[in-house]
Amino acid sequence: MRRPRGAAGAFERALELLDLTLGDDRWRGRRKEIARARELLCDAAAGGQEYGTTLEGLDRYFLAFAVLARRGR
């Protein structure tokens, strides 16, 4: 199966990874938060019509987690 390239491919892959994470029992206690992140990603991709979510806002939100994860290595 070939994946679309560019933004559409990245969006598709992000949803796939979030879905795989939701299906992994190791994240059982965090599923609500992960599902919410998925919902907001979809909202941002649709232009923020429901919640006013932007890709830039999601980037700022997740950057803090990335920095902390990197610091813990």
Side-chain angles (χ1 to χ4, degrees):
M1 177 177 139
R2 286 190 84 187
R3 290 186 186 281
R5 298 182 125 184
F11 176 71
E12 183 180 303
R13 181 65 175 150
L15 290 180
E16 181 181 359
L17 291 171
L18 286 166
D19 289 341
L20 288 169
T21 303
L22 285 167
D24 187 335
D25 282 340
R26 293 177 292 179
W27 296 97
R28 187 174 346 152
R30 308 292 298 265
R31 283 187 178 139
K32 186 175 180 181
E33 181 180 356
I34 296 164
R36 180 71 172 144
R38 187 187 193 286
E39 182 179 21
L40 291 174
L41 177 62
C42 290
D43 183 57
Q49 295 176 18
E50 190 160 344
Y51 303 113
T53 312
T54 64
L55 293 174
E56 293 80 12
L58 288 175
D59 188 47
R60 280 192 308 272
Y61 176 78
F62 285 110
L63 179 61
F65 292 103
V67 169
L68 287 173
R70 182 92 170 159
R71 192 179 298 168
R73 287 186 174 182

